[in-house]
Amino acid sequence: MADPIKKIVLGNGKVRYRFVVDVGQDPATGKRRQQTVTKDTKKEAVTEYARIQHQRATGTYVLPSKVTVEELIDMWLKTATRDVETATKRSYEDAMRYVRVHLGDRKVQTLTEDDVESLIDWMLTSARRIGGRPGTGVGVRTVSLTLGRLRAALNLGIRRGLVTRNVAVHVTIPRQARKDAAAAARTRVPWDEAEVRSFLAFVSTDRLYAVMLLSLIGLRPAEVCGLRWEDVDLEARTISVEITRTLVAGAVVEKDTKSAASYRKLPMPTVLWVALKLLRLAQAKEKLASGDGYAGSGRVVVDELGRSVKTDWLRRRAYKLMEAADMRKVRLYDARHSCLSWMANNGVPDTVVSAWAGHADLGFTKRRYVHADPQSLRAGSDKLAGLLEQA
């Protein structure tokens, strides 16, 4: 068999060693592809030839490529966002923006685990540009989302024959960062029963009383803003949660509920039923007073001119009411936590709590939304006292 490695003498007299190998077919054209390799010494050429032949035999060989990380991201986004909602697409793009900034110009085939770890460290310490003080770190959840998307993009790179392995697959977020994030999360305590009662007493005469009640019975802010009067059956005393209305990159997006489980029909507590009847009367008076200037959007939550509102509008007004009531400020979304925690801690079956929340996964509801409030812990202590006193 002829030696595949040929001695080449260049015009300047220098000697090189060159070989040509078949590396399979081009998936796009079906034509045979060849690779030409030139080395300074015969030994280097022999070693490289053996390496390529071994990798071809084991299916791990990839052609040298100049594709950058940014170009791979573009490939992945094109496939990953083909059939997803606008909000999901935006979240993928946002997650990958950090990778573009820190690693975008790197060749994919030169990317290492050290590079990915450098990305993680940078995100945790100084990657923030919006949503806080520029130059500080972003949250662990954001880092986790970015790392997950990068792994997915590199998996696509493997399938496309650009890289042989996923250098991000074994990279993790440092333990201390995860511990710090968990400690910070523990400081975000939803209102307890007494605080909920105090807040509702303060807003009972406010125009947004019924709206605050909708949040405090466990609806998501986007569900509250999306609720239409046609979804409210005052005769049957039920609310159908069918539409959400939220902001994505500054634009309003109206769509179906978050998931199939999120679509649900909830019976109204009497206090909410009364509040919604009063709200409808108040809106009728506002419409009469505004005349042709009234928008008449058909939403339950509207401004004084009947115009649909966005979730940031709802949050700002809720925070103003909390401040006026001299209440501890909590995220509006935490009102949902308060509701679900109260239900779970007061004997409502887990399956009912999960269905009320609009979750398909019962375990998720309990992990993320149910908190043991002081009253519930006191009840547990009383039960233990009864047991121990009998011993």
Side-chain angles (χ1 to χ4, degrees):
M1 180 178 178
D3 188 348
I5 300 173
K6 307 299 182 184
K7 181 179 178 180
I8 304 295
V9 180
L10 303 180
N12 59 7
K14 289 186 177 181
V15 176
R16 296 287 188 271
Y17 294 87
R18 180 176 297 165
F19 62 86
V20 179
V21 290
D22 288 329
V23 290
Q25 290 182 325
D26 188 316
T29 65
K31 294 181 179 180
R32 185 179 67 168
R33 293 187 299 181
Q34 292 184 318
Q35 180 184 356
T36 300
V37 179
T38 303
K39 295 294 182 180
D40 288 337
T41 67
K42 179 72 176 284
K43 182 178 180 180
E44 289 176 345
V46 169
T47 300
E48 183 65 9
Y49 182 80
R51 183 188 70 81
I52 292 174
Q53 293 294 78
H54 173 73
Q55 289 184 345
R56 284 194 61 208
T58 58
T60 60
Y61 179 73
V62 296
L63 276 169
S65 170
K66 295 182 179 180
V67 171
T68 64
V69 172
E70 182 155 22
E71 290 170 335
L72 177 62
I73 290 172
D74 291 336
M75 293 180 200
W76 178 76
L77 285 172
K78 183 177 179 180
T79 61
T81 62
R82 182 170 296 168
D83 190 31
V84 300
E85 295 179 346
T86 302
T88 303
K89 180 180 179 180
R90 179 56 189 251
S91 74
Y92 288 178
E93 293 170 344
D94 287 346
M96 284 308 207
R97 188 166 290 114
Y98 297 102
V99 187
R100 290 184 190 275
V101 171
H102 198 70
L103 299 172
D105 60 350
R106 290 292 303 273
K107 300 292 190 294
V108 171
Q109 291 184 347
T110 67
L111 200 64
T112 66
E113 288 189 359
D114 287 342
D115 294 326
V116 180
E117 289 179 350
S118 171
L119 168 70
I120 301 306
D121 292 342
W122 172 71
M123 290 184 67
L124 289 170
T125 58
S126 54
R128 187 180 299 279
R129 295 295 178 268
I130 60 174
R133 185 160 60 88
T136 59
V138 298
V140 164
R141 183 173 183 274
T142 299
V143 177
S144 179
L145 289 172
T146 296
L147 182 57
R149 304 297 176 256
L150 177 57
R151 287 170 179 161
L154 288 169
N155 282 337
L156 176 65
I158 293 173
R159 296 197 301 273
R160 296 284 175 88
L162 297 174
V163 291
T164 58
R165 70 186 188 94
N166 190 330
V167 296
V169 73
H170 295 300
V171 176
T172 59
I173 298 172
R175 180 181 302 177
Q176 188 60 50
R178 288 184 276 114
K179 289 177 65 175
D180 292 345
R186 287 194 292 271
T187 66
R188 294 194 297 268
V189 181
W191 281 340
D192 59 24
E193 183 178 341
E195 289 173 305
V196 170
R197 291 182 184 278
S198 178
F199 179 69
L200 288 178
F202 180 83
V203 300
S204 60
T205 58
D206 191 90
R207 178 179 178 274
L208 295 180
Y209 176 52
V211 179
M212 294 299 104
L213 282 171
L214 288 169
S215 295
L216 286 164
I217 69 163
L219 269 62
R220 301 175 177 94
E223 292 172 343
V224 174
C225 291
L227 194 66
R228 304 162 300 188
W229 281 112
E230 65 187 77
D231 302 322
V232 178
D233 190 334
L234 292 173
E235 292 292 328
R237 298 192 182 191
T238 61
I239 295 173
S240 296
V241 182
E242 300 182 5
I243 301 293
T244 64
R245 192 170 197 272
T246 190
L247 278 174
V248 178
V252 176
V253 175
E254 294 183 6
K255 59 186 181 68
D256 294 339
T257 51
K258 190 174 182 180
S259 65
S262 294
Y263 172 79
R264 58 209 189 274
K265 181 176 286 188
L266 303 177
M268 279 188 245
T270 300
V271 63
L272 176 60
W273 174 70
V274 172
L276 284 172
K277 290 179 70 175
L278 292 174
L279 177 62
R280 193 160 196 177
L281 288 173
Q283 289 181 0
K285 293 179 181 178
E286 289 172 347
K287 181 178 181 180
L288 187 63
S290 301
D292 293 338
Y294 195 81
S297 65
R299 303 283 180 185
V300 172
V301 186
V302 294
D303 65 12
E304 289 79 357
L305 293 176
R307 296 172 297 195
S308 299
V309 301
K310 299 175 289 188
T311 48
D312 62 336
W313 182 96
L314 178 60
R315 291 189 182 96
R316 286 196 300 270
R317 277 149 185 80
Y319 293 154
K320 285 182 179 179
L321 288 172
M322 292 176 197
E323 183 179 3
D326 196 25
M327 297 288 301
R328 178 169 61 91
K329 182 180 177 180
V330 297
R331 299 178 308 165
L332 187 57
Y333 209 93
D334 285 336
R336 177 171 163 83
H337 287 243
S338 296
C339 166
L340 300 177
S341 292
W342 189 90
M343 294 173 76
N345 293 328
N346 284 271
V348 178
D350 292 345
T351 52
V352 175
V353 176
S354 186
W356 189 279
H359 293 155
D361 183 355
L362 175 60
F364 174 79
T365 308
K366 297 181 73 173
R367 287 193 308 273
R368 293 290 299 273
Y369 287 88
V370 177
H371 309 264
D373 56 45
Q375 294 95 325
S376 301
L377 292 174
R378 171 57 60 187
S381 175
D382 292 343
K383 289 287 186 182
L384 284 174
L387 170 65
L388 296 174
E389 288 168 2
Q390 294 175 7

